[in-house]
Amino acid sequence: MTDDEIYQRLGGIFDDVFEYEGPLGADTVSADVDGWDSVGHIRLVLAAEEAFGVRFEPKEVVGLNDLGELVAAIRQKAG
Amino acid sequence: MEPIAHLGWLPPAPDDFAARAKALKAAEGDLSAELRSLATHRLDANQLQRLARIVEGARDRTNGLSPFRLGIVSNATTDFITPAIIGSGLRHGLAIEIVAGPYGQCMQEALDPGSTVNRAGCDAVLLAIDSRGYPLHSAPGDAQAGEAAVAAALGQVEAMRGGLAAHCPNVIVQSLPPLPEQYLGGYDAVLPGSEGQAVAAFNTGLAARTGGGLLLLDVAGLAARAGLDRWHDPAAWNVAKQPFSHALIPAYAENLARLLGAMRGKSRKVLVLDLDNTVWSGVIGDDGMDGINIAQGDATGEAHLALQAYALGLRERGVVLAVSSKNTDEIARQVFREHPDMLLREEHIAVFQANWTDKASNLRVIAETLNLGLDSLVFVDDNPAERELVRQRLPQVAVPELPDSSAFYVRTVAAAGYFEAAGFSDEDRARSKFYEQNAKRVAVQAAAGGIDDYLASLAMTIRFAPFDERGRARIAQLINKSNQFNLTTRRYTEGEVAALGEDSSVITLQIRLEDVFGDNGMISTIIARVDGAEAEIDTWLMSCRVLGRRVEEAALAELVRLLRGRGVSKLTGIFRPTERNGIVVDHYRKLGFSLDSAGEAGEERWLLDIGVADFDFPDIFAHVLRDGQDA
């Protein structure tokens, strides 16, 4: 799966989870998105797990600093 | 086929769900109908949250929904369940507002009169506490220590309930799912003092304590039906302090919402069954009596028989059964009369609509014949086209999706929880029979001459009593369920009903009616507030099944008698119009009141001078009895 495909699908997930339809990039961080707090982060990870058919370990869930790291993790797990 | 975990009785969310939700957010006017329609789909937590945000931003535009303020006290995080509860509430006609206490401070929230939850004026407080929140320490092999732990945990519930009850009429407590991990394998179930035994004893103790404002949310039952292995999710707890699997949040929220709905009188009352390929396998008009299949010992036949048995089980619990089928009446009825394998018989069906009219029209006839709203009906039909037609034409009617395999019809209908109860009284048990007898009454009425002759022929006994403990559950149920013959539609909980019964400035009446057909049970309640020589009728409601029996006149005569005994000479009746109570728009005029004033939202005040003399009871009643008298 290419990063473009991942970002495209994440666009739908950000709409579903945060009702956010703005731009997404590797440098997007939680402060950019209304509702992306600690609870929102878990909702985001759950939605990503479901959409990409992957599973994150607890330490991976809390250790992500920006969207680029999440995309890299998805790319690695989803193959 | 897992209808419980996946809300399988609901149609899948439409592809344009997000677009419709966005459009609704920008829409003007009242949003109730579209919110409820969108919520009546198989939604995930994010979709429920989307609807919850709309509700929170537009509460003043949800007038078609009943407001419900729910306090939550929890030993876990409530962030994930809160939006799902609000979204699921829409499905049950509720606009839920949630007041959550701070994380993990259950006892403080419950006992401190100044706590967030206690100050909020909640309609109910949910103790969303799982086994981590109770001191159910195990004591392997030590029965006595095990019992002590259970007693301590139940004592904690009692203490929290006591603290909350001073501020809120209803407390909802959760049963505990069994824990998934064993220690000594199957022997855990035998060993006294084990966790498993403690959880089971705790749940039994909770069930025994319900009533009088304490309600049970059976989380143990939900978890068991969904599967304990799936329910318990240690990662969800460790990462997020979410006490059970995220995937089951919609199912949990749905189960809670339907209990809140039941408290507000939103549960369904009638099961309407299609016949061909629903009640039996095959098409009676084509296959004939010998061709349809409901045979014991046949896999398909038994599946349809199971649905019949389930319908009969519901009937025993007060659910009214009806039939809507595209068939020739005589041919369809013949199966009920003559087929030896049928469990359902004609006398079980209150209204039988077999004809070639469309089903939406037939469902209207069923509702009208039973004097119930369309929102009392559940319609079960194997044909997706019929289901869709009814959903579109009559969105008030609940229409479950049915799976392809008839073996799972019962599971799916049961999973929907349409008939959720917040209590169960003798009247409930007998209710379906009342409706069946009502059909007979209509027949007798047609045959009799004048209406008073007919009423006299019913040999009615009317009984009056003030609110008491025995009648309390049924009184609260009437107050919360009656929409049509209800002058003010004020709702009171069981706890409030108890308080009204003890208030010396309030005159309360519960009215029962018997006739030649049997006991109608409690059919009317009145609450009047006395202030010196004046009194005001706060609540007057009556079950529609005794309409036209002159019960209102008798009730007024009794009320006037009681008020005059207290020196009251001026009586005011209030009428507050709603979408449903048009039936009583002329109630006070018919009883001789005169219109005094009309206020906000069409509220009317009607006056009656009762200073001169008592009122006569209509002479069509065989007996007029008061508390404790015998005929």
Side-chain angles (χ1 to χ4, degrees):
Chain A
M1 196 179 297
T2 69
D3 282 8
D4 278 352
E5 287 166 342
I6 293 173
Y7 275 109
Q8 199 181 358
R9 216 180 281 183
L10 278 172
I13 291 173
F14 271 71
D15 183 14
D16 286 343
V17 177
F18 303 122
E19 297 182 39
Y20 173 87
E21 294 176 276
L24 292 176
D27 58 351
T28 302
V29 293
S30 56
D32 300 330
V33 179
D34 198 25
W36 192 356
D37 52 16
S38 58
V39 171
H41 184 66
I42 287 164
R43 302 177 74 104
L44 171 65
V45 170
L46 287 166
E49 285 185 338
E50 165 117 12
F52 295 99
V54 299
R55 188 92 183 144
F56 292 100
E57 289 300 312
K59 64 173 185 283
E60 296 173 305
V61 173
V62 291
L64 300 166
N65 292 310
D66 58 32
L67 194 57
E69 291 187 18
L70 179 64
V71 170
I74 292 169
R75 187 196 323 116
Q76 191 198 346
K77 282 176 187 285
Chain B
M1 216 25 251
E2 297 178 321
I4 290 150
H6 299 302
L7 316 185
W9 67 94
L10 291 167
D15 292 338
D16 61 351
F17 175 84
R20 279 174 67 182
K22 281 173 201 171
L24 190 56
K25 212 169 186 178
E28 300 194 0
D30 197 88
L31 309 179
S32 307
E34 175 71 356
L35 278 170
R36 188 165 187 174
S37 159
L38 276 177
T40 308
H41 289 100
R42 214 174 289 168
L43 304 185
D44 64 26
N46 289 324
Q47 290 166 322
L48 290 167
Q49 168 149 8
R50 207 186 268 273
L51 296 184
R53 286 197 196 108
I54 299 174
V55 175
E56 284 172 338
R59 276 194 195 279
D60 53 335
R61 291 191 286 139
T62 56
N63 291 321
L65 304 167
S66 305
F68 197 113
R69 185 170 295 173
L70 177 71
I72 303 185
V73 167
S74 181
N75 67 317
T77 180
T78 53
D79 293 317
F80 298 99
I81 58 171
T82 297
I85 292 168
I86 295 170
S88 305
L90 299 169
R91 209 174 273 150
H92 299 274
L94 302 174
I96 298 174
E97 183 189 344
I98 290 183
V99 180
Y103 166 74
Q105 299 192 22
C106 302
M107 214 41 133
Q108 297 89 322
E109 273 299 297
L111 297 185
D112 176 3
S115 71
T116 318
V117 164
N118 274 334
R119 274 188 291 113
C122 296
D123 295 304
V125 176
L126 171 70
L127 300 179
I129 302 173
D130 75 350
S131 54
R132 300 173 185 93
Y134 291 113
L136 282 172
H137 311 295
S138 69
D142 186 342
Q144 213 172 357
E147 283 163 21
V150 172
L154 288 168
Q156 198 170 309
V157 172
E158 299 262 14
M160 287 188 283
R161 177 205 188 175
L164 294 164
H167 308 274
C168 168
N170 299 291
V171 175
I172 303 169
V173 63
Q174 297 187 165
S175 59
L176 304 177
L179 301 172
E181 291 92 6
Q182 297 177 329
Y183 292 91
L184 303 176
Y187 195 76
D188 279 7
V190 180
L191 189 65
S194 68
E195 279 88 344
Q197 293 211 345
V199 165
F202 177 83
N203 289 343
T204 305
L206 278 190
R209 283 166 173 75
T210 57
L214 186 72
L215 295 105
L216 181 73
L217 178 64
D218 186 20
V219 173
L222 170 63
R225 290 192 301 279
L228 292 176
D229 201 25
R230 183 183 344 190
W231 177 268
H232 292 285
D233 182 344
W237 176 259
N238 295 343
V239 172
K241 295 295 169 279
Q242 163 59 29
F244 57 91
S245 163
H246 286 277
L248 291 169
I249 287 174
Y252 169 87
E254 160 64 23
N255 275 260
L256 172 59
R258 67 171 73 133
L259 176 61
L260 304 182
M263 292 167 70
R264 281 281 189 265
K266 307 278 189 187
S267 294
R268 308 275 166 170
K269 301 187 180 81
V270 186
L271 180 70
V272 185
L273 295 162
D274 164 57
L275 297 180
D276 291 332
N277 287 319
T278 301
V279 162
W280 53 71
S281 171
V283 176
I284 184 66
D286 298 338
D287 303 332
M289 288 278 275
D290 299 333
I292 62 168
N293 182 2
I294 34 172
Q296 288 285 3
D298 178 276
T300 304
E302 285 188 9
H304 292 271
L305 279 176
L307 181 63
Q308 294 194 23
Y310 188 71
L312 285 172
L314 287 173
R315 182 175 168 274
E316 284 172 12
R317 289 158 180 81
V319 173
V320 181
L321 304 183
V323 159
S324 170
S325 166
K326 285 194 172 157
N327 259 310
T328 302
D329 184 77
E330 192 53 32
I331 292 174
R333 283 182 192 267
Q334 195 191 1
V335 185
F336 285 75
R337 287 175 187 154
E338 294 174 19
H339 199 296
D341 293 329
M342 281 288 286
L343 298 174
L344 285 171
R345 293 291 169 187
E346 229 179 339
E347 69 259 26
H348 301 136
I349 309 296
V351 187
F352 198 103
Q353 290 283 303
N355 52 45
W356 301 96
T357 318
D358 71 278
K359 298 224 169 179
S361 305
N362 276 328
L363 289 165
R364 276 187 197 286
V365 170
I366 289 169
E368 281 163 19
T369 308
L370 295 170
N371 243 323
L372 292 167
L374 284 164
D375 55 8
S376 299
L377 305 188
V378 174
F379 172 57
V380 176
D381 194 319
D382 68 295
N383 182 336
E386 300 284 14
R387 296 200 295 262
E388 196 47 38
L389 173 103
V390 171
R391 282 195 195 113
Q392 283 186 13
R393 296 256 313 270
L394 305 175
Q396 308 94 317
V397 176
V399 186
E401 279 298 278
L402 288 187
D404 293 337
S405 165
S406 54
F408 286 90
Y409 283 1
V410 171
R411 181 80 53 85
T412 306
V413 172
Y418 293 123
F419 307 104
E420 180 84 20
F424 190 74
S425 58
D426 291 343
E427 275 84 358
D428 287 316
R429 209 190 324 270
R431 192 189 314 121
S432 37
K433 291 205 181 64
F434 295 144
Y435 284 97
E436 289 152 19
Q437 287 165 353
N438 234 15
K440 281 188 218 157
R441 283 192 188 98
V442 173
V444 174
Q445 193 165 2
I451 183 70
D452 277 356
D453 287 347
Y454 160 69
L455 291 177
S457 76
L458 293 178
M460 292 186 287
T461 297
I462 190 164
R463 289 175 193 272
F464 299 99
F467 289 3
D468 55 17
E469 199 178 338
R470 216 179 112 240
R472 193 173 295 154
R474 171 63 178 160
I475 291 167
Q477 193 183 43
L478 272 174
I479 285 176
N480 288 296
K481 279 192 177 175
S482 303
N483 292 312
Q484 299 185 79
F485 196 112
N486 193 336
L487 273 300
T488 54
T489 321
R490 292 192 175 126
R491 308 299 196 194
Y492 294 113
T493 61
E494 239 182 272
E496 289 167 324
V497 167
L500 284 164
E502 281 159 21
D503 188 337
S504 63
S505 70
V506 175
I507 297 236
T508 57
L509 275 177
Q510 49 172 317
I511 305 171
R512 310 174 71 93
L513 190 72
E514 291 161 37
D515 61 29
V516 287
F517 295 105
D519 188 352
N520 288 280
M522 193 191 300
I523 43 81
S524 181
T525 63
I526 297 177
I527 299 167
R529 297 181 188 272
V530 179
D531 185 7
E534 300 189 4
E536 186 175 298
I537 303 171
D538 174 284
T539 295
W540 188 338
L541 55 85
M542 192 176 82
S543 165
C544 286
R545 67 171 179 259
V546 296
L547 271 179
R549 309 278 285 266
R550 302 185 67 183
V551 169
E552 310 90 292
E553 291 164 62
L556 180 63
E558 177 66 4
L559 180 64
V560 167
R561 194 187 70 83
L562 292 168
L563 289 171
R564 284 174 56 83
R566 299 270 292 261
V568 173
S569 59
K570 191 176 137 192
L571 178 59
T572 303
I574 314 280
F575 169 62
R576 301 204 301 177
T578 68
E579 280 187 5
R580 308 277 303 276
N581 72 354
I583 201 169
V584 288
V585 70
D586 278 327
H587 174 72
Y588 284 121
R589 188 194 312 278
K590 283 182 193 160
L591 290 174
F593 288 64
S594 51
L595 183 61
D596 180 46
S597 64
E600 271 178 50
E603 177 171 315
E604 296 171 356
R605 299 177 66 82
W606 293 78
L607 279 187
L608 185 67
D609 180 1
I610 59 171
V612 186
D614 276 346
F615 284 42
D616 289 333
F617 285 87
D619 57 9
I620 45 128
F621 289 96
H623 301 282
V624 176
L625 301 178
R626 305 200 168 84
D627 214 5
Q629 285 179 311
D630 283 323

